[in-house]
Every structure is written in C-alpha cells, then in structure tokens.
Amino acid sequence: MGSIDRYIFRTTLASFALVLVSLTGVIWITQALRGIDLMTSQGQTIITFLGITSLVIPALVLIIAPIALMIAISHTLNKLATDSEIIVMNAAGFSPYRLFRPFFFATCVVAALVTFIGAYLAPDGLRRIKQWDAEITADVLTNILQPGRFAQLDPNLTIRIRERQPGGVLAGIFVDDRRDPKERITIIADHGTVLKNGSGSYLVLEDGNLERFEAGKRDPALVAFGRYAFDMSKFSNRGGDVALGIRERYLWELFSPSEDDPVFKQLSGQFRAELHDRVLAPVYPFAFAVLTFAFLGTPRTTRQSRNFSIGGSILAVFGLRMAGFACSVMAVKTPIMALVQYSMLFAAIAIGLWMIVGGVVVEPPAALMEAINRSNARLARLFGRPATA
C-alpha cells in the first residue's frame, strides 16, 4: 500500500475500533444489568458477575462489527470530503474504484475478525455462560439457600442463613440435621463460607456451637468450635454436562451435526438457518462497505450537500440487514429463503461495485429538491420573516 492507502486504512480501522468499543460497551451494560441478581440474590462475587457477563461480548461484536465498519467508513469519507481530499485525489488521477482499495483492505480485516468470532469465539463464550449458569443455579448453596428462609434440603435436614455478605460470606447460620436416626445435630454459627475442592463441597462454619442429641442419653453434648466443616457434597452440583443449544455450536459442528443429536433431530431447520447465518456473517461487512462507499465515495464540491447520500446509505444498509434477519427467520421453515439471502447480499455488492466503477453520484431528484424549496418558501411566508432595517 502507498502512503495514501495506509493513511485511509489506519483512519478507517481506528474509527472502527472506537465505534465498536463504544457501541459494544453500551449494549453490554444493558445486558449485564439483567444479571445483577447474581450478586444480590445469589451471593456471587463481582469477579463472577463480570466473568459471566463479559462472555456475551463476542456475540455482540458479531452483530455490531459490520455496523461499526459502516459508521467508520462514513466518518472517514466525510472527513476526506470536508478537507477536499477526495477532490484532490480525483484530480491527481485517483478513480473512485482506486480510492476504494484501502477501504477494501480494512473490510478484509473486519471480515476476518467476524469469521473467527462467528466460527469459534462467540459460541465458545455462549457455551461457557450456559455451563457456568447451570453450575450456579443447580448448586443449592447459591440458589436454594436464601436469606431469612428455612431451606428443607432433605426430609431431615434444614438450613437457614440470616444474610449474605460480600465475598461469599454467609452470616447467621443454623443447621438442624436429623438424618441419622441415632442422633440429632443442631449447629449455630456466626458465619461461614463455601469451600469446593476435589473431595467435595463443604460449608465451613466458624465461631459457633454444636449440640448433639444421642439416642438413649438424657443430656445433649454441647461443643463450642472455632471452625467446623459440614459436608454438602450431596447437595452441590458437580458441573455435569449441559445440553448445548444451536447458538452454542461451533461452525464445524453446524456443518456436520451428529445424526443422533436430539437437538438436531428436533430443530433441523434452525440448524440450517444458523449455519447460513454464520457463513454469511463475513459477507455483511463487504456489503456494508461497498454500499456506503457507493453513496459517499464520489467526488463532490463543498457546495453539494451530502445529507441525502448519508441518509440513502443508512437506509440501504439498514434495509439490507433487516431483510437478512427476515430471511434467516423464514429459512427455518422455508429452505429457499437461505438462497434468497445469498442472492440479496451478492446483488447488493454487485450493484454497489457497479456504482463505484461507473462513478455514479447519488443526488436527490431535481423534482424533490424543487418541492422542498417550495415548501420552505411557503413556511417562510407563513411565519413571516422580520423585515431587515
């Protein structure tokens, strides 16, 4: 690449990164707020909360990246036009098709990123979320034990905690264990924590008293302890396998699903639609880039308004993306809609390239501009402009 190409390439990718991080951050915050109950009602730490919610970011980037690229290309072209650089490059012999080359290289980088995310990173993050969520919700220590409630974990085992404190500390613990017919154990502890290791899960109680009633004895045995481990392995989830949905499958698993897969047998249409969506994900950046450049990349003087072209590019990209979503939904029951989606995307790229090569300038029709001017004139007469001195 020449110096001009490198300049445009760097500017486009820098703008893309800024827009991508900004949009992803805003949407991630709205998604993360839905999982705030992990910290409040289930007593998870801030690390767990951030870890689980951040795993959804690749799936967000997969959708946001083409839109961020469109915004970045629009910003770069508008900057070049405002500084009259496009006109200078055109006068120096740069055709619109030649000017599109650095934008094409930037689009290749974005397409490669989207390919990696769609094939591996996004489904890997989603399956980690599902596994992690299953471990949290299935674990009695984080799901069933609610502050202020007596939890009947077993017909003869009752546990109550007063509150959950930061760092996973359980305060005010009461345990009534009558599972052994020969004795009854009652434990009251000031606080405790959950300990999980290779041998099981334990409720580690601290600063409490243990009262043991043995059958045949009149008086109970009372023991004060500083630290006592109560075995909870029977009631704690050990991280078993979870059923993976379609979005949690890697791209190669969508290409060749197992014939014995119960999800594939039941939802084969959704498997097909998801496969085509993943395959077409890297094509959307090219379609968005070509359409945006076709509307905004031709040389214009500073007197020519670019508002119509900007609005046209937004409508074209938005319409293409919405049509893609619609085709993806309909492809679940109508396989031919996947072919329509392919045809629509490649037709948009072909039309955009034809406009770029031909140097087509997108301008509002003269009749439309006359109608707008007449409307503005009528409004000016209606409200009356103050007379100048």
Side-chain angles (χ1 to χ4, degrees):
M1 289 190 295
S3 58
I4 296 178
D5 291 339
R6 287 195 299 270
Y7 165 68
I8 297 176
F9 178 79
R10 288 196 305 267
T11 303
T12 304
L13 284 187
S15 302
F16 166 76
L18 180 61
V19 174
L20 181 65
V21 171
S22 302
L23 291 179
T24 304
V26 171
I27 298 177
W28 173 77
I29 289 175
T30 62
Q31 296 292 321
L33 291 177
R34 299 179 182 179
I36 198 70
D37 63 312
L38 284 173
M39 295 171 50
T40 55
S41 64
Q42 297 187 3
Q44 298 298 317
T45 64
I46 184 66
I47 302 300
T48 302
F49 170 73
L50 293 177
I52 292 179
T53 55
S54 63
L55 289 173
V56 77
I57 290 178
L60 296 177
V61 172
L62 189 62
I63 300 175
I64 297 173
I67 300 173
L69 177 65
M70 182 209 72
I71 297 174
I73 293 177
S74 300
H75 166 75
T76 304
L77 288 173
N78 189 62
K79 180 177 180 296
L80 294 175
T82 303
D83 297 337
S84 300
E85 292 174 314
I86 291 182
I87 296 178
V88 172
M89 285 186 283
N90 183 69
F94 270 65
S95 65
Y97 183 75
R98 172 64 180 82
L99 181 60
F100 179 67
R101 191 168 73 176
F103 294 102
F104 174 77
F105 292 149
T107 304
C108 290
V109 174
V110 176
L113 174 66
V114 169
T115 301
F116 172 69
I117 292 176
Y120 173 76
L121 199 59
D124 184 70
L126 294 176
R127 66 171 58 191
R128 287 176 184 271
I129 290 176
K130 197 163 191 176
Q131 180 72 30
W132 207 343
D133 185 62
E135 292 177 357
I136 291 176
T137 56
D139 195 333
V140 67
L141 300 179
T142 56
N143 188 47
I144 297 180
L145 294 184
Q146 298 297 327
R149 298 181 182 179
F150 288 90
Q152 197 80 22
L153 306 185
D154 193 83
N156 294 310
L157 177 63
T158 303
I159 298 181
R160 180 187 184 275
I161 60 173
R162 185 177 70 246
E163 62 176 335
R164 293 182 182 271
Q165 297 180 349
V169 177
L170 308 177
I173 302 174
F174 169 81
V175 180
D176 183 29
D177 187 0
R178 293 170 293 170
R179 290 175 294 174
D180 189 344
K182 296 181 180 181
E183 63 179 14
R184 176 179 179 177
I185 298 176
T186 302
I187 305 174
I188 299 176
D190 180 76
H191 61 277
T193 54
V194 177
L195 174 64
K196 295 184 180 182
N197 52 34
S199 58
S201 299
Y202 299 90
L203 184 58
V204 180
L205 308 172
E206 299 185 21
D207 300 331
N209 297 287
L210 184 149
E211 193 176 50
R212 188 190 308 273
F213 293 87
E214 295 185 13
K217 292 187 178 181
R218 179 179 177 181
D219 299 323
L222 184 63
V223 178
F225 61 84
R227 188 178 178 88
Y228 179 82
F230 188 78
D231 191 357
M232 297 287 291
S233 300
K234 178 182 177 181
F235 308 99
S236 181
N237 178 51
R238 300 303 297 274
D241 295 334
V242 295
L244 296 177
I246 298 175
R247 296 183 63 197
E248 288 91 29
R249 308 297 178 100
Y250 298 121
L251 181 60
W252 51 89
E253 293 175 340
L254 295 175
F255 267 114
S256 57
S258 174
E259 297 294 337
D260 299 330
D261 190 337
V263 180
F264 176 68
K265 290 180 179 179
Q266 185 179 3
L267 304 171
S268 58
Q270 293 187 18
F271 259 83
R272 179 179 58 250
E274 181 69 17
L275 172 62
H276 291 301
D277 246 6
R278 300 274 190 91
V279 171
L280 286 174
V283 182
Y284 276 101
F286 289 101
F288 287 7
V290 169
L291 288 176
T292 303
F293 190 90
F295 277 86
L296 300 174
T298 51
R300 302 166 188 263
T301 65
T302 54
R303 294 179 179 272
Q304 292 177 295
S305 175
R306 301 173 62 85
N307 295 334
F308 182 81
S309 298
I310 293 175
S313 66
I314 293 175
L315 288 177
V317 168
F318 179 78
L320 183 64
R321 188 61 214 150
M322 290 300 101
F325 280 133
C327 290
S328 179
V329 172
M330 290 187 288
V332 174
K333 295 183 178 180
T334 310
I336 196 172
M337 293 307 298
L339 180 61
V340 173
Q341 190 175 8
Y342 280 90
S343 303
M344 178 183 62
L345 272 178
F346 287 105
I349 294 175
I351 293 173
L353 289 175
W354 172 78
M355 295 173 63
I356 294 172
V357 173
V360 178
V361 180
V362 179
E363 291 183 337
L368 177 62
M369 292 304 300
E370 291 178 3
I372 293 175
N373 292 333
R374 287 195 301 268
S375 176
N376 291 338
R378 283 196 298 268
L379 288 175
R381 289 193 300 269
L382 178 64
F383 292 101
R385 291 183 178 179
T388 57

